[in-house]
Amino acid sequence: MKKEETHISSYTSHAIVLIVLLFLTAISVLVTGWHFGPFSVAVALIIASIKVRTVITHFMHMKFESLFMKLMVTGVFVLFALVIIITFIDYYLR
Amino acid sequence: MNMSIQENHNDHIDSETGKLGMWIFLFTELFLFGGLFLVYAVFRAKYSEDFHSAARELNAFIGTMNTVFLLVSSMTVAMAITAIQKNQKKLAMFLVSVTLLLAALFMMNKFFEWSHKFEFKLYPGSEVLKNLPRGELLFFGLYFMMTGLHALHVLIGMILLSINFIKIKAGKVNQAHYLLLENSGLYWHLVDLIWIFLFPLLYLIT
């Protein structure tokens, strides 16, 4: 088995990720303040998903994990999305 | 010499499996909150007017402030791991305590927010809440359940971080063995992830 080097994230990269996250939060607050109805709901949820992805890839170090871990985490999120979609199909077609 | 290589190798495997176990636990947490998100989504679709007016009762400013606290604390805990990997013990301890401070600020905000609701007799099972339109009742029920469960996770995270602080100080969590800090960090990030979704759903979309 080959020896894997542990990747050490730099302080600067963590700080940049934080700035991106704060920026996205600001956009999300501003956009929902305009009251676009269903549109702002969609924007808020899309921004939240981008933020979650950023936290998982950088802060939770998923970028440097094995392919197995990446597939597993992606799989669980896909499963969760399917649960929501199937529930709504059931709910609207009742 | 061979002995130490063998030990290092085992440590590496242990840390991989340890992290894998933590992730599997986090998946169960995701579905715990996921169930509540699903209930929220369905009721929101059914009672959208009531959800709109009830969400207006929430203070978006406090919500935004708490979002910032959690995002910054997520960064400090990630930096604490970098510090321990670089063998900067003092800095790691400092960063863990900043994380704890931010978590305490979050809880303090939550306390004021909830007490404010209680002053207006808005709490689960109150007469005022029972007389609200059905959708608003559901919104507040979900609000208290979701933020309450989340706050419980913040508290557990704070306990985990305090244990880490003590162990880093004692040298038990160090450059060679920091799985506990890594897994506590993952848990803390999960707390942040849940809040990233709770915040727009409860506070912003009015």
Side-chain angles (χ1 to χ4, degrees):
Chain A
M1 195 179 180
K2 74 175 167 57
K3 173 95 182 80
E4 290 167 49
E5 285 291 311
T6 314
H7 178 269
I8 302 180
S9 310
S10 70
Y11 296 116
T12 335
S13 72
H14 285 320
I16 293 169
V17 172
L18 176 70
I19 292 167
V20 171
L21 288 169
L22 290 175
F23 179 68
L24 287 170
T25 309
I27 296 181
S28 155
V29 172
L30 285 176
V31 168
T32 44
W34 289 333
H35 298 294
F36 284 146
F39 174 71
S40 49
V41 177
V43 171
L45 287 180
I46 289 167
I47 293 178
S49 309
I50 298 171
K51 280 166 78 181
V52 162
R53 206 195 129 86
T54 313
V55 170
I56 292 177
T57 355
H58 297 279
F59 285 165
M60 294 173 102
H61 228 247
M62 198 36 72
K63 200 176 170 186
F64 307 103
E65 297 293 350
S66 60
L67 181 66
F68 173 68
M69 293 273 266
K70 281 178 189 160
L71 286 176
M72 201 169 69
V73 172
T74 318
V76 166
F77 275 93
V78 170
L79 179 65
F80 182 53
L82 282 175
V83 170
I84 291 185
I85 293 167
I86 292 170
T87 308
F88 271 84
I89 292 175
D90 173 48
Y91 179 72
Y92 279 113
L93 298 182
R94 232 173 251 199
Chain B
M1 181 68 189
N2 276 337
M3 241 341 224
S4 85
I5 289 173
Q6 187 59 38
E7 268 175 18
N8 279 338
H9 185 68
N10 284 343
D11 278 352
H12 181 68
I13 300 292
D14 278 346
S15 114
E16 281 298 299
T17 42
K19 254 195 283 185
L20 180 64
M22 190 65 196
W23 271 101
I24 292 172
F25 168 67
L26 294 187
F27 296 154
T28 68
E29 290 277 39
L30 181 77
F31 276 85
L32 171 71
F33 280 95
L36 288 167
F37 279 121
L38 197 59
V39 174
Y40 173 94
V42 169
F43 281 134
R44 194 190 163 88
K46 199 170 181 182
Y47 300 99
S48 46
E49 282 308 309
D50 286 351
F51 267 55
H52 274 270
S53 48
R56 254 183 234 127
E57 296 284 323
L58 299 191
N59 188 332
F61 180 70
I62 291 189
T64 312
M65 215 154 82
N66 270 349
T67 307
V68 174
F69 288 157
L70 281 192
L71 287 177
V72 178
S73 75
S74 246
M75 182 196 66
T76 52
V77 85
M79 279 180 166
I81 294 169
T82 303
I84 208 86
Q85 284 171 330
K86 291 185 173 175
N87 206 13
Q88 295 162 324
K89 186 178 161 183
K90 284 263 161 62
L91 185 62
M93 281 164 67
F94 170 74
L95 287 164
V96 170
S97 31
V98 172
T99 313
L100 276 167
L101 177 76
L102 288 162
L105 286 173
F106 177 93
M107 290 305 282
M108 205 176 73
N109 253 344
K110 193 98 272 168
F111 170 77
F112 286 126
E113 197 189 359
W114 276 33
S115 346
H116 188 68
K117 296 269 171 315
F118 289 179
E119 268 173 39
F120 289 94
K121 301 263 180 286
L122 281 172
Y123 50 84
S126 76
E127 284 306 313
V128 178
L129 209 60
K130 275 182 196 159
N131 292 326
L132 285 177
R134 189 158 172 74
E136 292 195 21
L137 173 68
L138 284 166
F139 177 87
F140 280 111
L142 281 165
Y143 161 77
F144 281 115
M145 182 68 202
M146 288 167 112
T147 58
L149 192 61
H150 179 264
L152 179 69
H153 279 76
V154 174
L155 278 180
I156 296 170
M158 286 172 83
I159 295 170
L160 279 174
L161 288 168
S162 311
I163 294 171
N164 270 291
F165 183 85
I166 296 165
K167 291 214 169 186
I168 295 172
K169 197 171 183 214
K172 282 182 182 155
V173 168
N174 53 44
Q175 194 178 19
H177 303 272
Y178 54 86
L179 182 64
L180 181 71
L181 181 63
E182 256 187 321
N183 281 349
S184 311
L186 286 178
Y187 187 83
W188 191 252
H189 294 309
L190 175 92
V191 169
D192 190 23
L193 291 188
I194 305 287
W195 185 258
I196 288 176
F197 272 113
L198 279 183
F199 169 60
L201 287 178
L202 295 175
Y203 293 82
L204 288 185
I205 309 170
T206 52

